[in-house]
Amino acid sequence: MDFKNLIFNDDKPKYVVLAEYIKEFIRKGEIEDGEKLPTIRSLVDEIDVNKATIISAYKKLEEEGYAVSKIGSGTFAKQRDFTRIIKRQYSRTFKKLSKDRIKDFIDFTGETTSAELFPIDEFKSVINEVLDRDGAEALIYRDSLGYEELRETIRRKFWNNSVSLSDILIVSGAQQGIDIVAKTIVNPNDNVIVEKPTYSGALSVFKSRRANIIEVGIEDDGVNLEELEKILKRNKIKLFYTMSYFQNPSGVTISKEKKEKLLLLAEKYDFYIVEDDYLSELIYDEKIEYIPIKKMDISEKVIYIKSFSKIFLPGIRLGYMISPKGLNDSLQLAKINTDISTSSLMQRVLQKYIDNDYWISHTRELTDVYRMRYECITKSIDTILKDKVSYVLTGGGLHLFVKIKTGRMDSVSLYNALKKENVLITPGVLFFNNGNDGLKYFRIGFSEVHCDKITYGIEIINKYI
């Protein structure tokens, strides 16, 4: 451990500064779990402070869970699961911010479309049309699979009748879909593969099932198949979770070639692919072709999950699943055990909204708006941050995943510094099973930010990187 960058100031007591300095090394993994910290005597000589300062610093590290003292042996580093701590702090930030207060922030954390772009008049007219047509039945109708007319519309409009109606299950958003899959096929100590990094909500679900989570790296065109097959050869795998378009957080889209090879691996090694189709409506690069893995699935190995919440308003929790033939009954039972049914009124409204072709016209309008914001944020990063960072040109979606290439600044420290400047980002530690792996990354979304504020926000980020 190098103390040449340690600087004391009058704002904080010396023992606090020393404790925070050592804590950063522990958090970043530069001091490993169980590694012995420098002796009190050696630190007295190296950083020219008195013995009491070092004792107080080590005591503070112990109190905060970053060290453990062993009588006669010394003080040893202790790695904390600080991902959970950061996640709690991150969540608390938004709980404290009122709707009026959030307007004072440049909010780069958004991952859904902006409410200001939703065609509320069309939505009102569809609600009235449904209530006039169905009356009270719209509020009390229950079907464990979901409203049949909605399922039929999904099959016709989105899948050209290529899937069976009985394979489509309406769910209350993608998160519930992932949870239902996990409850159905994942038992404690089963092996589950996820991309590295991946959606934090999926990690939470698999952890709750006490699964063994194995991460596999992502390349610019999707999962590293060579690395994936090495894992498959050594382990019995239950499922592989992937986001096929504009993966959250990396922004990567899986190429058609990799989708084909992935399906061959699923058949060869007998595991399910859980395809979370995330924001595939928002494609800005015409070279990106929309072909879900499920459309290529002839071996019944893909469980397809699609959320309408990202486009249709986050507050209306609706999505659907298409399940392999052999899992239909089990997935439907898990759904019933979870919440019996999803809002009947909203299912009917969504069905009418899609059937009236409002869905397609709305997504086209959103694509035009967000393409401009996408071009604005990529230009701002390239012009202002330049070679201080790197990122994948996603060609769609609502966010970028940025890697800090220079300096000692990590994403958690950057998040805390920017918050004081009324700028919000998402630290990358939330997307890795081991949070330390995400310290040099942050996600930056542009759905809630206009172009002038995007540029200003990037300038503030540049101050700290």
Side-chain angles (χ1 to χ4, degrees), residues 390-403:
S390 62
Y391 65 97
V392 173
L393 274 170
T394 61
L398 293 173
H399 68 269
L400 302 172
F401 200 50
V402 181
K403 182 178 182 180

Side-chain angles (χ1 to χ4, degrees), residues 302-338:
V302 178
I303 304 167
Y304 177 88
I305 301 174
K306 179 67 183 175
S307 173
F308 290 110
S309 303
K310 305 297 182 187
I311 299 293
F312 193 58
L313 279 185
I316 301 170
R317 306 297 301 167
L318 280 174
Y320 70 96
M321 297 172 59
I322 301 177
S323 57
K325 301 293 184 189
L327 285 180
N328 278 1
D329 291 343
S330 300
L331 288 170
Q332 290 165 17
L333 181 60
K335 165 69 167 113
I336 293 168
N337 289 338
T338 300

Side-chain angles (χ1 to χ4, degrees), residues 22-63:
I22 295 173
K23 184 163 58 177
E24 283 299 298
F25 280 92
I26 296 172
R27 280 178 44 199
K28 293 174 182 177
E30 294 177 31
I31 299 177
E32 295 182 357
D33 188 38
E35 183 178 337
K36 188 175 181 179
L37 298 180
T39 65
I40 293 172
R41 183 179 298 174
S42 67
L43 279 183
V44 167
D45 295 335
E46 186 172 356
I47 60 178
D48 193 26
V49 294
N50 60 43
K51 184 177 177 181
T53 296
I54 299 165
I55 292 172
S56 296
Y58 279 5
K59 186 176 180 181
K60 180 174 174 60
L61 288 172
E62 282 192 77
E63 289 172 349

